[in-house]
Amino acid sequence: MYKKKLLTIAIITILLLTLLCGCTAPPELTVQVDTDSALNDEEIAAAVEMIVEEFTAISAIPRSSGNEQAIADYICQRLLDLGYQPQRDALHNIIVDIPASAEYADSPLTVIHTHLDMFCVAAEGVEYDPLTDAVTLLNDGETLSADNTSLGADNGVGMAMALYLLRAELPHGPLRLIFTSNGEGDMSGAAAISAERLSDVTYVINLDAKSDDTLTIGASAEQTLTATAALNPTAPKKNTAVRISVGGLQGGYATSESSESRLNAVLLLANILADLQSQNILFELAQLQGGSEPNTTPHTASALIVIDAAEELILSHQISQYQEQLPLTYAASEPGITVSYEKVELPSLVMSTSERNNLLNFILLSPEGQQSVSAADGLVNSATLYNVQISATQAGFDRNLRSSHTLLLGQALLRQQRLAEQCLLTAVSSDAIPVWPAAADNQLQLITAEVYADLYGEQMQTLVAYGGSELGFFAAKNSALQMISIGPSISGTHSPLESVTLSSIGKTVQLLQTTLSNI
């Protein structure tokens, strides 16, 4: 307890000296931490084994967003088995209070936060029903991955790590574990956590970060726009039906990695269709679809068109040109890109020419990817078309908008609404995910960064995340909260290539345990 008093006195002294000196910008703050209680190599190995055991059990339970009753049942039972009394609401949010160890009774209340659901996607051609099928884990001794599906390390490893803390009975101050629902969707679980459950909290440690050497300290705002239209179909006037498909793209989680020129399969396909029009292939459109999940760039897309039989030779030539040129154009970022077509059964209905043009215009003229970068914090302001489902009778689009500033987010949303109106679409927007503002006086950030430097002999990177965070809802309910997000190194997030290294799990749990012993 003596070291905690010294820590507080040191920080207050630095702040007072800064004010007395009349400095316009405070010097970089440092804290003293004690890492003598850190886990040794044998204890880290045991911790990783325990976390993998918990994660394996979690992975056996289907837990797509909105399908969280079973995983909530499981987590509640695990908490009961460990001797705790969880509380659960109608959305399947789970909250449980954990008493402090005796020597940490005077420590401030800290929330450990994870979400229950996972993003579910399978590799092309793999049968996988996220409502009923478990995730099959592959463990090669160094890395965890899944058998041709997304892994769910985001945020399954976070849940497993929270359960490990209780099983290992490591010393800590008073904790409140919060497991929220729909964290990969509209974050309605976090939005429903009452301000009362956060009013007595000082620190929040979220376990949803994706890199073991990076400390997330804030996040941008985020909003979804859904545009729809009822169409007036007619019978096709042409005689040859063709399905054009785009595949082999990376897709996956739409983070700051968008700067790597990750392609959107829907947008690429719309460009191909527009190019066919420029070659005087005046096709009729019966279907266009691609993507489905929020925050995720579509990696496949397909369109069903109807042409005259005489136009097939020109179409075949254009598709061959794309298949030859696209892999060369995007060799660095999309080496597996494919474009193909096949003749299919003639559909009974197609959309009108004007409706076809309006829908293609909405795709082609909507902003996509990075739009600007904030000079203040370096955050990307962006838009992603993540879901398109068009048939001859109806059309639906979902767009994800992100910005570091609420004003810019509102302006981007207004532009999208105006474009939707011009294309005769009805646009509806979701409630915005609030900004999680980075705080200049975040003591938890200082402590965690110093623990990391002491443990690993290097500085931890800091990140203000591109994309909404559940912690934005927490910040909106208690602006005094000091919050961070940490986590193991996960690659290929939200894709069938998702994996997590076992060493980074050990590194993260070591950081978490030692940080808790210093607050």
Side-chain angles (χ1 to χ4, degrees):
M1 198 58 61
Y2 177 68
K3 64 181 176 60
K4 294 175 184 174
K5 291 181 179 178
L6 285 179
L7 175 63
T8 303
I9 292 171
I11 292 175
I12 291 173
T13 301
I14 292 172
L15 292 173
L16 286 174
L17 287 174
T18 299
L19 291 172
L20 290 172
C21 292
C23 300
T24 58
E28 183 177 348
L29 302 181
T30 59
V31 296
Q32 296 296 315
V33 298
D34 180 5
T35 56
D36 291 343
S37 63
L39 304 175
N40 58 40
D41 290 346
E42 184 176 337
E43 290 169 328
I44 292 174
V48 171
E49 182 177 355
M50 198 178 298
I51 291 166
V52 171
E53 177 187 326
E54 294 286 351
F55 180 51
T56 301
I58 288 168
S59 299
I61 304 169
R63 51 190 174 90
S64 57
S65 300
N67 181 41
E68 292 132 317
Q69 180 171 337
I71 187 62
D73 290 344
Y74 174 79
I75 294 296
C76 282
Q77 189 58 55
R78 286 292 294 128
L79 294 169
L80 288 168
D81 292 343
L82 291 167
Y84 301 100
Q85 297 297 317
Q87 296 179 328
R88 176 175 174 178
D89 66 18
L91 294 179
H92 302 305
N93 290 319
I94 299 169
I95 299 179
V96 59
D97 285 329
I98 312 298
S101 306
E103 65 271 35
Y104 287 86
D106 295 334
S107 297
L109 177 60
T110 298
V111 161
I112 305 294
H113 171 247
T114 69
H115 63 75
L116 293 165
D117 56 320
M118 65 171 283
F119 178 88
C120 299
V121 65
E124 291 182 56
V126 173
E127 293 187 8
Y128 171 60
D129 185 348
L131 297 180
T132 59
D133 294 346
V135 172
T136 302
L137 298 187
L138 303 176
N139 185 346
D140 64 6
E142 295 184 355
T143 303
L144 285 178
S145 58
D147 186 10
N148 286 311
T149 69
S150 47
L151 175 62
D154 169 17
N155 200 215
V157 170
M159 285 193 283
M161 205 170 291
L163 294 173
Y164 157 78
L165 286 178
L166 306 186
R167 286 180 61 180
E169 298 182 342
L170 299 170
H172 56 72
L175 300 178
R176 178 169 295 155
L177 272 55
I178 299 181
F179 302 83
T180 49
S181 61
N182 213 9
E184 298 293 0
D186 61 7
M187 303 187 188
S188 53
I193 298 296
S194 70
E196 182 182 359
R197 300 314 302 264
L198 298 169
S199 62
D200 55 346
V201 175
T202 300
Y203 299 137
V204 176
I205 302 177
N206 167 274
L207 299 178
D208 196 20
K210 311 295 188 295
S211 180
D212 65 12
D213 65 353
T214 301
L215 188 63
T216 303
I217 59 172
S220 61
E222 185 172 336
Q223 199 159 10
T224 295
L225 178 134
T226 297
T228 59
L231 307 179
N232 300 292
T234 64
K237 297 179 176 62
K238 302 186 180 229
N239 56 17
T240 302
V242 173
R243 187 177 302 280
I244 303 174
S245 300
V246 171
L249 302 181
Q250 292 189 63
Y253 198 41
T255 67
S256 56
E257 296 173 30
S258 60
S259 61
E260 298 176 2
S261 300
R262 180 175 295 175
L263 287 181
N264 185 315
V266 172
L267 180 58
L268 175 58
L269 180 56
N271 275 284
I272 291 173
L273 294 177
D275 193 18
L276 293 179
Q277 287 178 311
S278 72
Q279 300 298 319
N280 290 319
I281 301 178
L282 304 179
F283 59 84
E284 297 170 308
L285 183 61
Q287 293 177 2
L288 196 160
Q289 57 190 16
S292 62
E293 299 292 340
N295 310 332
T296 304
T297 303
H299 66 286
T300 63
S302 66
L304 175 58
I305 64 173
V306 182
I307 61 175
D308 285 329
E311 297 173 321
E312 185 182 352
L313 184 61
I314 301 174
L315 181 142
S316 177
H317 175 73
Q318 290 299 114
I319 298 299
S320 296
Q321 289 288 98
Y322 271 106
Q323 183 55 62
E324 178 183 341
Q325 295 174 10
L326 285 173
L328 298 176
T329 304
Y330 297 100
S333 59
E334 300 287 2
I337 189 170
T338 62
V339 181
S340 62
Y341 86 95
E342 60 176 337
K343 294 175 69 173
V344 296
E345 183 179 350
L346 191 70
S348 60
L349 296 172
V350 295
M351 64 191 69
S352 68
T353 298
S354 61
E355 289 174 337
R356 177 203 64 190
N357 290 340
N358 279 335
L359 298 179
L360 290 179
N361 283 342
F362 185 71
I363 298 173
L364 292 169
L365 300 179
S366 292
E368 182 68 23
Q370 177 177 314
Q371 303 304 303
S372 64
V373 179
S374 170
D377 50 27
L379 278 182
V380 174
N381 303 303
S382 74
T384 302
L385 180 65
Y386 68 80
N387 181 29
V388 174
Q389 303 296 327
I390 299 174
S391 70
T393 58
Q394 58 187 4
F397 302 86
D398 291 308
R399 295 192 60 82
N400 178 265
L401 307 172
R402 302 180 183 190
S403 177
S404 56
H405 301 287
T406 303
L407 175 63
L408 296 179
L409 185 66
Q411 291 175 345
L413 181 65
L414 180 60
R415 289 193 296 271
Q416 283 288 277
Q417 290 170 328
R418 289 290 183 88
L419 179 60
E421 290 173 4
Q422 290 180 359
C423 295
L424 303 182
L425 297 164
T426 300
V428 177
S429 60
S430 69
D431 293 334
I433 298 170
V435 173
W436 165 22
D441 56 349
N442 189 336
Q443 183 173 327
L444 180 59
Q445 174 188 342
L446 298 177
I447 294 170
T448 308
E450 190 61 32
V451 166
Y452 184 93
D454 204 28
L455 287 174
Y456 304 114
E458 60 184 19
Q459 296 300 310
M460 200 172 195
Q461 301 179 60
T462 57
L463 171 71
V464 178
Y466 162 74
S469 168
E470 292 175 281
L471 299 190
F473 289 104
F474 290 6
K477 293 167 185 175
N478 181 354
S479 60
L481 290 175
Q482 300 177 51
M483 303 190 288
I484 61 168
S485 181
I486 60 175
S489 295
I490 303 174
S491 63
T493 312
H494 290 192
S495 82
L497 300 178
E498 183 180 352
S499 65
V500 59
T501 59
L502 297 177
S503 61
S504 74
I505 293 175
K507 191 174 177 183
T508 301
V509 77
Q510 169 80 293
L511 178 64
L512 174 62
Q513 176 269 326
T514 313
T515 297
L516 288 174
S517 70
N518 277 274
I519 57 179

